[in-house]
Amino acid sequence: MELRAPWTFLLAALAEGGLAYGTHRGLFQPEWAGPLAKALVLLLVGYGLYQNRHLKSLYLVLVGLALNALVIFANGGHMPVSLEALQRAGIEGWEELLKTRGDAVHSLLDENTRLPFLGDVIALPPLRKAVSPGDLFILAGIAGVVVEGALRVGGRRLPLRQGALRVLAFLVLVLLLLALRP
C-alpha cells in the first residue's frame, strides 16, 4: 500500500493552521482568511484524495470533506460551532472569540446558521473536542486506511491472525497517543 502525494495533507494543515493563527493574532481579517483557508484545504486535500483513490477507505474521507465543505460554504466560509457542544466537551472561553469571528475558520452557531446539524455539534468530552458529522467520516476513513495498511505488507495480504494483531497494535497506539494528549 502506497500513500501518494502525502505533502498535500501536511500543506493543507499548515495553511489552515497558519491562517487561523494569523487571524487570532490580528494579522489577517477572518472575513477573507477563513474562506481562503477552507479553499486551500479543499484543493490540497482533494488533490491528495485523487492521487490516493486506490485506497478505498479514503472515500469516507471524501464524504466527510464534502459534508464539511457544504456547511462551511453555506455559512460564508466558516464552520459553525455549537456553544453547547463546546461546554459538554469541557471547553470554555471560546464564546466571545466565536461571536466576533476572531477565529478564521469557525463561527458561533446561532439561529441564522444554515445546515446547523452539519456543524461542530457533537461533543467528545474525553478528547475535549466538538466535531461535525463530516469529521467523524474523515476519522473513520483515516482509521480505515490504517487498517488497510495493517492488513497488507509489501503488496500482499497478511494471514488473518497476523493482520488482526497488527490492526490491534495500531489501534492501541492511537488510543495511547490520544490518552497522552494534554
Side-chain angles (χ1 to χ4, degrees), residues 25-70:
R25 301 295 285 169
L27 301 173
F28 310 126
Q29 294 299 314
E31 294 78 22
W32 63 264
L36 176 61
K38 292 305 178 186
L40 288 172
V41 167
L42 280 175
L43 288 172
L44 291 165
V45 172
Y47 179 75
L49 292 174
Y50 176 76
Q51 289 296 317
N52 291 287
R53 61 192 179 278
H54 62 284
L55 302 172
K56 301 306 179 212
S57 296
L58 284 183
Y59 288 99
L60 290 172
V61 174
L62 183 60
V63 169
L65 185 64
L67 291 173
N68 283 350
L70 185 64

Side-chain angles (χ1 to χ4, degrees), residues 11-170:
L11 194 55
L14 289 173
E16 185 174 37
L19 285 166
Y21 180 74
T23 301
H24 178 69
R25 301 295 285 169
L27 301 173
F28 310 126
Q29 294 299 314
E31 294 78 22
W32 63 264
L36 176 61
K38 292 305 178 186
L40 288 172
V41 167
L42 280 175
L43 288 172
L44 291 165
V45 172
Y47 179 75
L49 292 174
Y50 176 76
Q51 289 296 317
N52 291 287
R53 61 192 179 278
H54 62 284
L55 302 172
K56 301 306 179 212
S57 296
L58 284 183
Y59 288 99
L60 290 172
V61 174
L62 183 60
V63 169
L65 185 64
L67 291 173
N68 283 350
L70 185 64
V71 69
I72 287 166
F73 286 115
N75 289 287
H78 294 83
M79 172 62 85
V81 180
S82 163
L83 186 58
E84 294 78 27
L86 289 174
Q87 291 168 344
R88 285 193 314 270
I91 303 168
E92 302 291 333
W94 283 84
E95 183 176 3
E96 194 58 39
L97 182 69
L98 292 172
K99 277 184 180 176
T100 60
R101 290 199 178 216
D103 180 337
V105 294
H106 298 96
S107 63
L108 191 61
L109 191 145
D110 61 20
E111 63 279 348
N112 297 320
T113 300
R114 295 184 182 114
L115 305 172
F117 57 93
L118 292 178
D120 285 344
V121 295
I122 303 166
L124 298 177
L127 301 178
R128 293 184 36 87
K129 296 264 183 216
V131 298
S132 68
D135 293 338
L136 295 180
F137 275 99
I138 291 169
L139 289 172
I142 292 169
V145 169
V146 169
V147 170
E148 282 184 64
L151 294 176
R152 293 192 183 274
V153 62
R156 63 177 171 76
R157 201 156 174 78
L158 293 175
L160 184 60
R161 184 177 187 165
Q162 190 177 2
L165 287 173
R166 190 173 277 206
V167 169
L168 182 62
F170 276 125

